[in-house]
Amino acid sequence: AIRIQDHYLAGAHAAAADCVPDELVTLTQLIGTPSEVRQRLTAYQAAGVSELQLTFVGADPVGEFTILRELVSSALSPP
């Protein structure tokens, strides 16, 4: 974490990103194929997660939201 912070504060953002373990990204972000995102959503629900904080960073946030809404609908069952 210190290496990431040092790189980032020095303005070396790409070097900071390179220091972030892939596993951390995979476990904390809704990224991947639709099937992978459905699996993450199901795992979150099974773990008791009831709220997500979302930030859409692509060129089409409305389109991304629409896709995510469809994935949520197909992946999750009501509590």
Side-chain angles (χ1 to χ4, degrees):
I2 292 172
R3 268 191 313 152
I4 295 169
Q5 181 178 358
D6 288 346
H7 285 309
Y8 187 84
L9 293 176
H13 299 160
D18 288 343
C19 292
V20 177
D22 290 343
E23 182 180 24
L24 177 64
V25 175
T26 300
L27 292 175
T28 61
Q29 307 299 310
L30 286 174
I31 59 171
T33 65
S35 176
E36 291 167 334
V37 171
R38 273 192 219 80
Q39 289 173 354
R40 294 294 315 140
L41 290 167
T42 301
Y44 288 155
Q45 184 182 42
V49 173
S50 60
E51 293 183 27
L52 296 173
Q53 181 176 357
L54 304 172
T55 302
F56 297 99
V57 296
D60 181 15
V62 173
E64 291 174 0
F65 176 80
T66 301
I67 292 168
L68 182 59
R69 182 177 55 205
E70 292 169 2
L71 291 172
V72 168
S73 294
S74 68
L76 302 182
S77 57

